[in-house]
Amino acid sequence: MIVKSLNLINFRNYRRLNLDVGPSVNIIYGFNAQGKTNIIEAINVCSCLASHRTAKEKELITLNENEFEISMELFDPYDNSDTSLYYAYYTENSSLNKSSAPKRVIKQDSIQINKIANYMGICNTVIFAPEDLNLIKGSPSIRRKFFNLLISKVSPSYFGLISNYSRLLAQKNSTIKSFKGNTPNDMALDYWDYPLADVSAEIILYRYRYSKLLSISASKHHSNISDNKEELDISLSTISGSVDVINNFFKENDYLTSFIEGKAPEAIYARIKGILSEYLYSKFKSTRQMDCERGITGIGVHRDDIDILLNGLNMKSFSSQGQQRSAALSLKLAELDIISSTCKTAPILLLDDVFSELDQNRRVSLLSGMVNAQIFITCTERKYIENELKELISDKSDIRYFHVEKGIVTPED
């Protein structure tokens, strides 16, 4: 997809913004705290309904307002067609909201979409930002969010699984709390554990597959960035024993490669899903007493993580900031690879003030092969980025400049 125009109402420091952009490279520059990042954040939020800076939609609303709206006019070069996306969030105090609770509205071509899974993947973005270092050193929830968004972009049905799991988990926890620490009622918990095991098995199989794809791609990029001096490895950390169940199955059936490529026969997928689901049910059942004593489900895919190892050591504990920056970049480049190879068009590339953070080798790695994609770059100095782009981007690229000062965006020649 290519963004043709971006329209904002009450988003961050923009009460109103109507911006036409170019199909190739768009440079958004100006001093800090003027609203540059807010523009590419809006593009990212409208594309995948998530911000790279906050998990609270209310924080995206302009001060003293009660709602925000983002709309984008898009062009799809794959089938030479236009489409539009719309995303609005209304607080309970908004005059546009008839409900007593906060409300989200998403649309494509002015038609409301009721399921988020049907919205994901229409327009894909990959964003690089200083916050990406948290992928390495931050909490598991940050890596889960990254992983969940990546998989949802290329397999929108996965988002439905996550939503279903969250609903089942909340209902199970409510049942557990009703026991008030007493002996659990097996029949009551079976009602939730059977479907939880089934959904969890699907989620783990998705995450297992994409952790393999992520590791293969990220390790190649990291090897190039480090001149083959460092080896990056990524693996899924989930309910204990689950990965062993999957590995043992594929050792016996020799379908691992086809599974990772998404080409395994349906019968094979159904068998491993059934085996894993039975195993997970047994794990849930074995922890019931402990869950009731604690008043909450202790194990589950809601606690999953991605283990990121550099030369065999966990990077969260054993890595320098430079190594973390390289690994974060490798992860993002791997995300770019996976989306580009899976979807019909390249994702939109959003670069939020990252050039000053990267050396020449990393900058080349970042922009290599992206001359055919639409790119948005924020920076503080036009002259600096002009010099950088001469070396990194094809002369054929249509580069457009936008100066931002106090929330006013001015196109420049």
Side-chain angles (χ1 to χ4, degrees), residues 126 128 146 150 210 213-221 232 234 327-341:
V126 173
F128 294 78
F146 162 73
L150 166 59
Y210 280 95
L213 291 172
L214 200 62
S215 186
I216 291 168
S217 181
S219 64
K220 291 179 181 177
H221 286 295
L232 187 70
I234 297 166
L329 177 58
S330 297
L331 279 173
K332 284 294 186 170
L333 289 170
E335 177 187 8
L336 198 61
D337 287 344
I338 291 170
I339 295 174
S340 298
S341 64

Side-chain angles (χ1 to χ4, degrees), residues 2-51:
I2 292 173
V3 179
K4 295 168 58 179
S5 65
L6 173 69
N7 303 286
L8 306 179
I9 298 176
N10 297 334
F11 185 87
R12 295 288 193 182
N13 69 326
Y14 294 101
R15 292 193 180 277
R16 295 288 187 278
L17 177 66
N18 301 299
L19 186 65
D20 293 328
V21 297
S24 184
V25 181
N26 297 275
I27 309 299
I28 304 164
Y29 79 97
F31 293 126
N32 291 328
Q34 303 301 304
K36 303 187 302 294
T37 295
N38 297 343
I39 293 174
I40 64 171
E41 181 184 28
I43 294 172
N44 194 51
V45 167
C46 194
S47 70
C48 65
L49 309 180
S51 166

Side-chain angles (χ1 to χ4, degrees), residues 252-271:
E252 295 175 1
N253 293 276
D254 197 29
Y255 277 101
L256 179 59
T257 300
S258 60
F259 174 77
I260 293 173
E261 294 175 349
K263 299 176 181 177
E266 290 186 14
I268 291 295
Y269 180 83
R271 282 174 58 192

Side-chain angles (χ1 to χ4, degrees), residues 175-176 178-186 189 288-289 292-293:
T175 301
I176 287 173
S178 71
F179 299 143
K180 298 179 180 179
N182 297 320
T183 301
N185 183 311
D186 285 335
L189 288 177
R288 285 177 178 176
Q289 185 61 51
C292 288
E293 291 171 1

